[in-house]
Amino acid sequence: RHLYTCTQNSLSLIISVFVYISTFYQAVLQALEDGLKKADADPSVKAVMICGENGKFSAGADIRGFSSPKTLGVALGPIVSLIESSEKPVVAAIEGVALGGGLEVALGCHYRVAHAKARMGLPEVTIGLLPGAEGTQRLPRLIGVPAALDMITTGKHIPATEALKLGLVDEIVEENTIEAAIRLANKVIGQPLGPRRLSLKPVPKLPNMEAFLQEAQVKVKRQARGFLAPELCFQAVQAATQRPFAEGVRRERELFQVLLSSGQAQALQYAFFAERAVHRWATPAQPTAASTFTVAGQGLGTMGQGIVTSLVKANIPVVALEQNLEYLNKGRKAVMVLLEREAKKMEGGAQKLDFHNPARLQFTVDFNLLHDVDLVIEAVFENMALKKEIFHKLSNICKPGALLCTNTSALDIDEIASATSRPQQVIGTHFFSPAHVMRLLEIIYGRHTSPSAIATAMQLAKDMKKVGVVVGNCFGFVGNRMMFPYVEQAVFLLEEGSRPEAVDQVLEDFGFKIGPFRMSDLAGLDVGWRSRKGQGLTGPSLPAGSSARQRRGQRYSPLPDLLCERGRFGQKTGKGWYQYERAGGRTATPDPWIHGFLSQYRDTHRIETRYIDQEEILERCLFSLINEGFAILAEGIASGPEHLDVIYLNGYGWPKHRGGPMFYASTVGLPRVLAKLQKYSEAHPDVPKLRPSAFLKKLVAVGNAPLKEWMSYLSRQSPKL
Ligand SMILES: CCCCCCCC/C=C\C=C\CC(=O)SCCNC(=O)CCNC(=O)[C@H](O)C(C)(C)COP(=O)(O)OP(=O)(O)OC[C@H]1O[C@@H](n2cnc3c(N)ncnc32)[C@H](O)[C@@H]1OP(=O)(O)O
């Protein structure tokens, strides 16, 4: 909004462009263009400095504006060229963030000065696009192909210190960035600008450029699994290595248009805002212990270790408790290994991990040390009796205001709370494994959980840099409840004639990192087996005379139980739905034993084997999961479809470029989802999860309502959501 220019010795005017989350970026671009032209034409102006406002350079374009193609990055390209071609040195003063179009503007400048705390990146790939304002052509010329490819295909934000090492910025400062940029501008007045114009520079050569690119392309393709943007980002950078600048820019624009019309960009942009909408979710109450928790982690198994590690990473003081010294020492060792690893990753960054200080992290077997903590996260074995015993003890020992959280993936929060004298302070916190890596935290409120307890758990998620999603209490909550019918269909498909590798392949082609059978093998088949035994579906508590393939009048497949009875627990035993090179091995190979076992099983149960095509595999698995999502919304277990999508994107490996299951359903079209469910349900009348939910039917009946209107068709919402 202001134009300062540097005269020989004094500062008179600076362009200050604020494009942080602005919906007016067209106006900003115009102002930038006008200001530059004015500065160029004014002989009293000797140099130009571009900065942001309020300590932020630019977060790039307003993502909401991407729905109208005319207002896109391509409009920025000529302005970046204009900056670069200026006859007066232009210096970028980068504070806060320089992202996307913001960083492309900085790349057009002849010099870049950054504050030590600034972050830079080209995150377009994460919203399904590529840097379309010549960034894919300038960045490799500045920092080389490997580093540029890494930044552009991952979209990662890098700290200023790393940017300096890469040569992305010329200088970093701890104090006033703008003054430093002006100093630099004054210093370079009169120096030749040719060598500072990135479009004129060759892309730095690599001795093995072709081999490097080939390898990089394979890696990008492997990781992308149908997600177009990383591959097209790669192609744009590759063009920089093969063509002159202007031709590279033309290629960049072509690829940008492909992405824009792919549908994937819309899905990713939906996901971006869905995550923020879930973050914004608030109860009328305030958190009781915001940001000053002392947390006790109870139980140092795999989950507990991850939870303690993420608490320490979040700079929250932790008391880690185990039931005996043997388990404590084992847990402590594992936590220390994780923390050392995390500390290494953070080396060179602004933040240090403080975990050798007993005031920050303490290990104990003494329950009484929990007396003063603000919040406890219990992470013991998934067993109701054990959890109730612990909650009873916690309720007696912890101070009156302390929040009691249980890490459970399916158990009833109300029943756990009933063991305490303070059910209003009991809440479920479902972490995902590995808990120090996975961002999702399902926060489950019970019948008596108070709004301030929910607010405190949300605050905890925020402090731990996790995506907290508040949901109601039901078996499996949201994520696992939707997962059950998906896995159930996968197993039914095996009964009917498919193979684990065929089902997995279809879902991996859809974009999941691993299909349901690889996932079961990884998680351990015994986990579900234990749960089914607990529910009386298999094992000794199964009533005598039960039919092998029916439970409570519904279709049931005993296949996973039969595998467990044979000791096939998955990766840990070297055999499950696949075979592995050894117990604990990770390379899954189709197992002829399983194929033989399945055909014998079909013979025994007189099931006619049939060929099942990819469409049926995909639809039965995904539509049954989505159908459950509609039931969850109708029951008021979640606030809206965005919440379900955020859970699936952050906790269940749902491919981001498909926007989440409910968004996906909206792109397929609800009438089609309904018609397919009806068809499969008629073919399998004993499978209730294929019966279309009443809410889905209603949305179709009102004319395929758009996703953002779905909730308005429900009369009942949970009072706590
Ligand atoms: C001086 C230089 C001039 C430069 C001119 C640039 C003109 C650009 C022209 C063309 C460019 C095209 C390419 C692009 O730039 S694509 C966009 C690339 N940028 C991004 O992807 C950044 C996305 N945002 C983030 O990563 C984060 O929001 C961050 C900026 C790091 C801030 O994080 P945090 O502090 O955690 O805050 P939130 O994420 O919660 O965001 C706060 C609210 O702001 C909304 N937001 C953020 N970024 C954008 C955006 N780019 N467009 C629209 N809205 C954005 C976000 O939704 C939050 O709002 P709400 O809670 O209401 O949803």
Side-chain angles (χ1 to χ4, degrees):
R1 303 207 188 115
H2 317 285
L3 176 72
Y4 293 79
T5 51
C6 298
T7 56
Q8 192 74 40
N9 295 310
S10 66
L11 168 76
S12 57
L13 215 56
I14 293 179
I15 296 180
S16 162
V17 185
F18 176 58
V19 188
Y20 182 65
I21 312 164
S22 160
T23 46
F24 302 109
Y25 85 92
Q26 278 303 322
V28 173
L29 295 190
Q30 194 56 59
L32 194 50
E33 185 179 351
D34 295 347
L36 280 161
K37 285 183 175 159
K38 212 161 129 195
D40 254 353
D42 184 343
S44 72
V45 172
K46 303 294 178 210
V48 176
M49 190 271 293
I50 300 180
C51 66
E53 207 171 59
N54 297 337
K56 278 152 188 144
F57 188 74
S58 169
D62 181 342
I63 297 170
R64 289 183 212 271
F66 282 107
S67 46
S68 68
K70 269 205 197 122
T71 58
L72 287 175
V74 275
L76 180 67
I79 294 172
V80 177
S81 293
L82 186 74
I83 297 173
E84 192 190 79
S85 61
S86 168
E87 291 304 326
K88 300 168 186 182
V90 185
V91 184
I94 302 173
E95 296 173 299
V97 288
L99 300 174
L103 185 58
E104 288 178 302
V105 165
L107 289 171
C109 297
H110 306 114
Y111 297 89
R112 286 155 292 277
V113 176
H115 190 270
K117 290 204 172 125
R119 284 183 297 139
M120 279 146 266
L122 292 173
E124 285 86 341
V125 67
T126 62
I127 50 167
L129 296 170
L130 55 75
E134 307 177 359
T136 64
Q137 305 302 300
R138 278 199 179 81
L139 192 64
R141 287 175 158 80
L142 180 62
I143 65 173
V145 174
L149 250 188
D150 184 35
M151 279 183 74
I152 293 172
T153 58
T154 63
K156 69 181 179 192
H157 301 181
I158 60 164
T161 42
E162 195 182 333
L164 184 68
K165 278 190 208 142
L166 291 175
L168 176 53
V169 298
D170 301 288
E171 191 180 324
I172 55 175
V173 292
E174 299 277 352
E175 300 294 322
N176 192 322
T177 317
I178 292 174
E179 278 174 15
I182 292 168
R183 260 198 314 276
L184 178 65
N186 274 319
K187 200 169 99 189
V188 297
I189 287 168
Q191 288 184 16
L193 290 173
R196 307 297 308 181
R197 295 192 171 111
L198 296 179
S199 68
L200 304 182
K201 275 170 86 98
V203 171
K205 293 227 168 335
L206 285 177
N208 51 350
M209 182 71 88
E210 211 146 289
F212 169 81
L213 285 173
Q214 241 169 32
E215 208 175 296
Q217 187 167 27
V218 170
K219 193 173 150 206
V220 166
K221 251 197 160 96
R222 197 180 45 233
Q223 288 172 350
R225 294 185 310 277
F227 176 17
L228 279 177
E231 287 194 63
L232 270 58
C233 281
F234 170 87
Q235 289 177 29
V237 175
Q238 187 181 38
T241 68
Q242 295 168 339
R243 306 176 186 204
F245 185 82
E247 276 182 39
V249 166
R250 264 197 295 282
R251 182 74 183 133
E252 180 191 89
R253 284 182 192 167
E254 280 165 20
L255 295 167
F256 188 89
Q257 290 304 330
V258 174
L259 288 174
L260 204 56
S261 52
S262 69
Q264 297 193 354
Q266 283 89 331
L268 282 142
Q269 287 153 34
Y270 160 83
F272 176 86
F273 291 112
E275 188 174 318
R276 275 139 189 97
V278 167
H279 260 298
R280 254 198 329 266
W281 187 96
T283 67
Q286 289 301 310
T288 49
S291 303
T292 56
F293 305 110
T294 301
V295 171
Q298 147 91 71
L300 280 177
T302 313
M303 214 58 189
Q305 292 160 18
I307 295 172
V308 169
T309 304
S310 26
L311 288 165
V312 174
K313 266 175 74 182
N315 218 11
I316 297 171
V318 188
V319 179
L321 178 81
E322 250 301 354
Q323 56 170 317
N324 65 39
L325 275 175
E326 187 197 336
Y327 288 173
L328 185 80
N329 289 333
K330 236 168 125 178
R332 183 203 323 249
K333 224 165 134 184
V335 168
M336 286 303 172
V337 169
L338 291 178
L339 285 169
E340 297 287 358
R341 236 180 259 159
E342 293 299 314
K344 239 197 179 99
K345 280 192 223 158
M346 288 161 73
E347 260 168 27
Q351 205 201 327
K352 297 265 167 294
L353 261 192
D354 182 13
F355 58 96
H356 292 295
N357 175 356
R360 314 294 308 172
L361 173 60
Q362 194 179 350
F363 291 89
T364 185
V365 287
D366 182 0
F367 228 100
N368 290 313
L369 285 190
L370 303 195
H371 182 264
D372 289 327
V373 300
D374 303 305
L375 187 151
V376 179
I377 304 173
E378 161 279 310
V380 301
F381 198 61
E382 196 80 326
N383 175 292
M384 182 56 90
L386 178 62
K387 295 220 182 219
K388 281 171 87 170
E389 185 191 321
I390 287 172
F391 271 73
H392 181 67
K393 230 164 149 182
L394 288 172
S395 153
N396 289 335
I397 286 175
C398 294
K399 65 184 181 189
L403 186 67
L404 308 181
C405 309
T406 172
N407 175 58
T408 170
S409 58
L411 296 181
D412 182 359
I413 306 301
D414 291 331
E415 191 175 341
I416 296 173
S418 71
T420 73
S421 55
R422 50 173 100 174
Q424 72 284 0
Q425 279 156 252
V426 176
I427 195 161
T429 45
H430 178 198
F431 286 86
F432 289 72
S433 188
H436 61 295
V437 177
M438 298 294 284
R439 294 180 69 222
L440 180 63
L441 180 62
E442 255 185 335
I443 296 170
I444 309 103
Y445 65 87
R447 191 180 309 139
H448 302 289
T449 309
S450 69
S452 73
I454 302 176
T456 306
M458 280 292 278
Q459 182 63 46
L460 176 72
K462 210 168 180 179
D463 290 350
M464 292 174 84
K465 298 202 167 50
K466 299 218 176 274
V467 184
V469 187
V470 180
V471 300
N473 184 26
C474 61
F475 186 69
F477 316 130
V478 166
N480 284 347
R481 179 169 157 185
M482 288 168 75
M483 183 61 35
F484 297 142
Y486 165 87
V487 174
E488 183 183 68
Q489 285 304 313
V491 177
F492 289 164
L493 288 162
L494 296 193
E495 289 190 329
E496 293 164 35
S498 202
R499 289 181 167 184
E501 53 276 20
V503 175
D504 279 350
Q505 192 61 53
V506 170
L507 289 148
E508 285 160 20
D509 288 348
F510 177 77
F512 279 100
K513 211 175 238 166
I514 49 175
F517 294 108
R518 272 183 233 278
M519 184 181 70
S520 297
D521 275 1
L522 176 70
L525 271 74
D526 52 326
V527 180
W529 194 33
R530 240 189 336 262
S531 161
R532 289 189 297 278
K533 280 186 198 163
Q535 296 170 62
L537 293 169
T538 189
S541 54
L542 182 67
S546 300
S547 136
R549 298 182 54 233
Q550 286 274 315
R551 296 287 183 276
R552 298 163 197 160
Q554 299 172 9
R555 180 170 168 188
Y556 177 85
S557 173
L559 277 172
D561 302 333
L562 296 172
L563 257 58
C564 288
E565 284 164 18
R566 285 159 178 77
R568 296 183 73 109
F569 291 168
Q571 287 190 5
K572 64 176 99 165
T573 56
K575 284 184 170 63
W577 296 109
Y578 292 87
Q579 56 182 336
Y580 297 84
E581 65 278 25
R582 58 184 157 75
R586 289 175 170 214
T587 316
T589 319
D591 189 347
W593 183 90
I594 283 280
H595 303 154
F597 174 73
L598 285 174
S599 66
Q600 207 177 12
Y601 173 88
R602 292 182 201 117
D603 288 346
T604 308
H605 295 284
R606 296 203 176 83
I607 305 170
E608 203 181 309
T609 305
R610 65 185 178 93
Y611 170 74
I612 303 173
D613 64 18
Q614 299 184 353
E615 185 175 279
E616 180 173 347
I617 294 176
L618 192 71
E619 289 175 347
R620 278 178 58 186
C621 292
L622 297 188
F623 291 178
S624 57
L625 178 153
I626 288 166
N627 194 34
E628 196 63 25
F630 282 110
I632 284 171
L633 292 177
E635 286 170 32
I637 296 289
S639 295
E642 298 88 352
H643 290 230
L644 274 47
D645 286 337
V646 167
I647 286 176
Y648 262 78
L649 291 169
N650 290 285
Y652 291 85
W654 183 280
K656 275 220 156 162
H657 61 278
R658 307 260 189 196
M662 307 318 279
F663 180 85
Y664 175 68
S666 75
T667 61
V668 171
L670 301 191
R672 182 177 161 84
V673 175
L674 175 61
K676 290 298 181 131
L677 279 167
Q678 265 156 349
K679 174 182 135 184
Y680 294 126
S681 174
E682 276 159 27
H684 306 277
D686 53 352
V687 182
K689 297 294 176 191
L690 286 173
R691 248 170 258 154
S693 111
F695 185 35
L696 170 61
K697 285 187 191 161
K698 181 171 181 178
L699 292 173
V700 173
V702 297
N704 190 20
L707 182 141
K708 58 180 184 306
E709 287 174 18
W710 290 358
M711 297 312 279
S712 66
Y713 290 97
L714 283 176
S715 44
R716 195 169 56 96
Q717 272 279 294
S718 159
K720 282 186 187 154
L721 286 177

